[in-house]
Amino acid sequence: MVEVYYHDNKDTLEDFTQAHNSGESVSLEKLAEIGVFYKCVTNMNDLNELAKQRNYKNRDVVNLNLEAFNNDLEAYNAKMQQFYKEHYHEDEEIRYIVDGEGYFDVRDKQDRWIRAKLSPNDLLILPAGIYHRFTLTDELKQVTAVRLFKDEPKWEAINRDTGRESDARKAYTESIAV
């Protein structure tokens, strides 16, 4: 089952795969307030039904671990740092964890990081336009996930430090306005 809490904001480039748990838990309802949807999915039939309900037409499976980078630690670390750079996408980001574990961090309405530790059977849907980042856990350093897409995958990560605000980002901020 997913663990959700506020990030302690004490991470560095060397330890961002650590738990960084502030001790302040966050409810699934609080995630829903910012458009993040969580579900425990225990079998492929339920995943397929969810995909049908949400009109996801495409999927793939991603394996992230050192072996996926031919044991090239430099390439692996570079990719992990890229995933951990704060960004958003113009499409929903949907991940269903099959094996391993990882952390998704998302920004709340006050711009605080919320960390969700995902394990097998956890499914997370991030709305288009939400700032987020991802890393593997230090314990396992491995995840296998099904990625679902409504159409063809759009992989562009729009990094926060660029200051670029697409229509997806504007629509997202309007959707959570207080």
Side-chain angles (χ1 to χ4, degrees), residues 75 128 142 149:
Q142 182 276 329
F149 309 97

Side-chain angles (χ1 to χ4, degrees), residues 24 27 33 39 61 65 72 74 81 86 88 94 100 108 134 145 163 165 172:
E24 186 180 352
S27 69
E33 288 176 12
K39 184 172 177 103
V61 176
N65 57 39
D72 181 340
E74 189 174 312
Q81 288 178 0
E86 184 175 4
Y88 70 90
I94 305 96
D108 73 1
F134 174 79
E165 291 224 349
Y172 173 73

